[in-house]
Amino acid sequence: MTEVFIYDHVRTPRGRGKADGGLHEITPIQLAAQMLEALRDRSQLDTRLVEDVILGCVVPVGEQGGNVGRIAALVADYANSVPGIQINRYCGSGLEAVNFAAAKVGSGQVDLAIGGGVESMSRVPMGSDGGAMALDPQVAFKMYFTMQGVSADLLSTLCGFSREQCDAFAVESQKRAAAAWAKGYFSKSVVPVRDILGLPVLERDETIRPEVTLESLAAMKPSFLDMGIQYGFDGVALQKYPEVEAIQHMHHAGNSSGIVDGASAVLIGNKEIGARLGLKPRARIRSTVTVGSEPTLMLDAPSIASLKALKKAGMSVADIGLWELNEAFSSVVLCLMQRLDVPHDRINVNGGAIAMGHPLGATGGMLIGTLLDEMERRNVGTGLVSLCEAAGMGTSTIIELV
């Protein structure tokens, strides 16, 4: 296999995923196109050499529908010869897009590709695409389908986490994200989003709340209690996990990922194309893995995927210097930390989606960039990024500094 390198990456700030959010007026195609433009301009790319644009998008309907990879590339004035594709691996779509680009480069099919993703959750609400898992009773019954928030509460119950532990993790995420912004850690890679006149509409993540405390979070009502009881999802989960006496509901808006808009793009290539373009490789992709897990629990797959990625790379948990795991819910990260014995000072060191939000299809590309920047800043040689995904899946990628 050909060695695969990351040459650059960019992301938008994350805008609050509501009508009054900073990115609401910007269409998803424009979000993605502006990141492709930034990637091109930063590296002075001859876009005729880009052989694919692969973008994750979890709700590909309406103005986010069709093939956002191809359309965004055209809107960004890439050469007509550049193909594009949209993929959906639920919350792992952005990382899987990077992994697909890496696989094409590694197999020798292409020399240069872009992976990343986009999601405008304020304009195309989550769930707009429907899906048999939730809407077809026959499928839902077979899968023991539960809402993801109830799955998060089930996971925390099975792992023995307390409400205070989940809230404490959320408070730390907010503090770390605020500190990272204050110290300029994101400035290298966050590209301001501009309106049709070229004026900046958002330059930094807008959902960070450093004033959050354990006391303020303790006052919040669990978000999925009524859903679990009144709609029967607790009962379904308990049928699948009869060893659980009752689900302890402890997740709420303050310790779960925020709904936001955003886009990301990562430039992937082999050694020869980098030399031809005068680009310096920043990291090597060591291994990529996606696994399935039990779909009712749904959210425990990152630890499984991470162990498999480590095995493929000939590495152990101790060999990873920094970890990035999407903070879909507090319990997701706490679970991986518990199962793999990962200390908190090595994972999500600049905060995560609880503070900055989770723009579904874009998050994976954002996380691999955040990880790479921090590895370079600390001179840490290895890092692992992972995300949990709906229907019981998880994706992990290991990178190392060049």
Side-chain angles (χ1 to χ4, degrees), residues 157-207:
T157 302
L158 285 167
C159 292
F161 302 137
S162 67
R163 166 71 181 262
E164 185 176 3
Q165 284 176 290
C166 290
D167 286 351
F169 181 87
V171 170
E172 184 64 17
S173 179
Q174 295 285 356
K175 289 181 178 178
R176 291 182 179 190
W181 266 109
K183 295 175 182 177
Y185 292 169
F186 299 134
S187 60
K188 182 177 181 180
S189 304
V190 173
V191 177
V193 175
R194 300 182 181 276
D195 63 16
I196 195 171
L197 299 176
L199 300 175
V201 296
L202 191 65
E203 299 181 277
R204 58 183 293 152
D205 301 319
E206 67 174 343
T207 61

Side-chain angles (χ1 to χ4, degrees), residues 109-143:
Q109 294 181 54
V110 306
D111 296 322
L112 190 68
I114 294 171
V118 63
E119 207 81 38
S120 179
M121 301 181 75
S122 70
R123 298 175 68 99
V124 186
M126 185 166 50
S128 297
D129 56 335
M133 178 171 65
L135 300 181
D136 184 335
Q138 186 176 11
V139 175
F141 180 80
K142 184 178 182 67
M143 291 179 58

